[in-house]
Amino acid sequence: MERRKALGLIATTGAAATFTARPSFAAEGGRAASATGQGKAKGGYTFPLDKNVKRTSVRFKNRYGIEVAADLYMPKNAKGELPALAVSGPFGAVKEQSSGLYANEFARRGYAALAFDPSFTGESGGVVRDVASPDIYTEDYSAAVDFLGLQKIVDRERIGVQAICGLSGMALTAAAADSRIKAVATASMYDMSRSMSRGHEDYYTREQRQEVVDHLSRQRWIDAENRTYARLSHEVPFDENGNVAPSNRVLPETLPADADPVTKSFFDYYRTERGYHPRSINSTTAWTATTPMSFFAFPLMTNLDLLAPRKALLVAGADAHSRYYAEDAQKMAPDTVDLVIVPGADHVDLYDRKKLIPFDKLDEFFTKNLA
């Protein structure tokens, strides 16, 4: 029950307040050293750029014509054709957060790594802001592969994908449909289609699933009449009386004194200087209210069997509330998908706790499978 409340699946009392107190960035975007031990960052990034890595802001378009914003991380003085990785996630985060940290680390290890904002979020294009689409987000990975494969310094036969949290289901879906992706790894995987359409640990009853569909359908009329796009819970909660009761924030403005461990862990990343970014949906606002509609209609990973003979590596924290997503995906394709469980790690630890993220195992996996 506590986990459902933490994930917005049980409504909290009181209306969400307007966000007024934001962690501040210095003139150069510096931030104090956090528990990650990463020191200060610049330009709004939540991690420092490695001294041996070059970061370049780039743009490319997906097949829908939407411009995708990304940062290309390259090892300095790189020579020859490099293996490359497209990196994105978590769901509601931006490239200056966890995906950039991963890309920075992979570039330090000799990869060309592209951390990108999914369409409609961050600095990427898309007229309606902060709307999520499993189809278009899956396409964004293939568009990132397009970009990487056109770089002279990249070996287009050695391109993989690294996903984090809610972009993991899209990464696996993209890899199953796009054989140019030679290997895929995930960290703290979420299947957002399953999460939105069935609730955490599939707790929605058949009747509740219908109530969510009815709620979303009513919201379509409201948005159409108002010619606006309201912001409400993407994982639709029910109150203690069993009624749909969405909120207008992903995370509360301030942490309640009785907050459960899952809420605390998300809050500690997105709402503090550890991981806050003003363009991050999870840090400041909520998704468009009708976002879940497409996730009801678009089940992710349906064709996971087509990934073979290519491989996937799923990394999950032993204490993560999301662990079951990775375990279930591994059961779907046991000969294709390997699973690594990190002792002592929760879901959010794998966003930026470099001492817990098994980068050596990830590097070994990609080295072997991008050979």
Side-chain angles (χ1 to χ4, degrees):
M1 188 65 71
E2 288 183 351
R3 288 180 177 177
R4 294 178 191 171
K5 183 174 181 180
L7 296 166
L9 296 174
I10 293 180
T12 55
T13 58
T18 302
F19 185 53
T20 55
R22 300 180 178 179
S24 60
F25 293 110
E28 289 295 324
R31 57 189 286 271
S34 70
T36 61
Q38 296 171 52
K40 293 184 178 181
K42 293 183 179 181
Y45 291 85
T46 60
F47 58 93
L49 182 66
D50 188 275
K51 65 181 181 180
N52 296 311
V53 172
K54 179 182 178 180
R55 177 172 58 212
T56 305
S57 178
V58 300
R59 300 291 187 271
F60 54 92
K61 289 187 177 181
N62 64 22
R63 68 185 179 89
Y64 296 107
I66 299 171
E67 185 177 74
V68 178
D71 286 329
L72 179 61
Y73 291 77
M74 299 282 289
K76 290 181 178 178
N77 303 317
K79 296 179 180 179
E81 292 186 334
L82 303 179
L85 297 173
V87 189
S88 195
F91 191 75
V94 290
K95 63 187 182 302
E96 292 84 1
Q97 296 173 308
S98 184
S99 60
L101 180 146
Y102 272 68
N104 181 57
E105 177 63 23
F106 280 116
R108 187 183 72 81
R109 292 167 179 259
Y111 297 80
L114 185 72
F116 66 88
D117 290 334
S119 296
F120 311 108
T121 69
E123 292 185 310
S124 287
V127 175
V128 180
R129 304 311 300 164
D130 302 340
V131 60
S133 165
D135 178 16
I136 297 176
Y137 281 16
T138 296
E139 158 59 20
D140 286 340
Y141 275 110
S142 288
V145 172
D146 293 342
F147 176 86
L148 287 168
L150 294 176
Q151 307 308 305
K152 292 182 179 180
I153 200 167
V154 168
D155 182 349
R156 66 168 57 178
E157 296 303 318
R158 291 194 294 159
I159 299 177
V161 163
Q162 170 69 61
I164 306 153
C165 185
L167 270 289
S168 297
M170 293 79 160
L172 289 165
T173 301
D178 188 344
S179 60
R180 299 175 306 163
I181 298 172
K182 303 304 182 183
V184 57
T186 72
S188 293
M189 176 191 171
Y190 247 76
D191 177 345
M192 296 309 302
S193 288
R194 182 178 176 185
S195 176
M196 291 192 210
S197 66
R198 296 185 178 274
H200 181 59
E201 296 183 341
D202 304 333
Y203 92 93
Y204 282 169
T205 64
R206 172 63 177 78
E207 291 73 21
Q208 286 176 319
R209 295 182 71 213
Q210 185 62 58
E211 287 184 50
V212 173
V213 169
D214 292 343
H215 154 71
L216 297 171
S217 301
R218 289 191 298 271
Q219 188 63 48
R220 285 293 294 256
W221 282 127
I222 294 171
D223 287 352
E225 290 169 349
N226 293 335
R227 297 183 179 181
T228 59
Y229 298 94
R231 306 297 185 98
L232 292 173
S233 309
H234 64 281
E235 291 172 317
V236 180
F238 288 83
D239 63 21
E240 294 180 354
N241 297 318
N243 299 314
V244 172
S247 62
N248 62 3
R249 293 186 61 87
V250 172
L251 289 168
E253 182 181 6
T254 57
L255 187 66
D258 61 348
D260 61 274
V262 178
T263 296
K264 288 180 181 178
S265 65
F266 278 117
F267 191 97
D268 184 57
Y269 183 77
Y270 287 111
R271 296 285 296 149
T272 72
E273 289 196 358
R274 171 185 167 193
Y276 174 88
H277 196 280
R279 285 192 294 271
S280 170
I281 297 164
N282 296 338
S283 289
T284 62
T285 182
W287 294 89
T288 55
T290 54
T291 279
M293 293 191 81
S294 58
F295 288 86
F296 270 79
F298 189 108
L300 293 162
M301 299 184 295
T302 299
N303 296 312
L304 187 59
D305 61 303
L306 294 178
L307 181 60
R310 294 164 293 147
K311 300 293 185 180
L313 179 66
L314 313 185
V315 179
D319 303 325
H321 68 276
S322 57
R323 175 175 168 173
Y324 72 98
Y325 287 119
E327 292 174 331
D328 288 354
Q330 197 274 333
K331 292 174 185 176
M332 290 171 62
D335 296 330
T336 301
V337 178
D338 290 328
L339 181 64
V340 171
I341 301 297
V342 181
D346 66 18
H347 178 88
V348 179
D349 284 334
L350 299 185
Y351 287 7
D352 67 338
R353 304 294 193 194
K354 294 183 71 174
K355 291 183 179 180
L356 290 173
I357 300 169
F359 278 117
D360 288 344
K361 288 185 180 294
L362 291 167
D363 189 5
E364 180 183 355
F365 168 77
F366 283 121
T367 298
K368 177 181 179 180
N369 290 283
L370 298 183

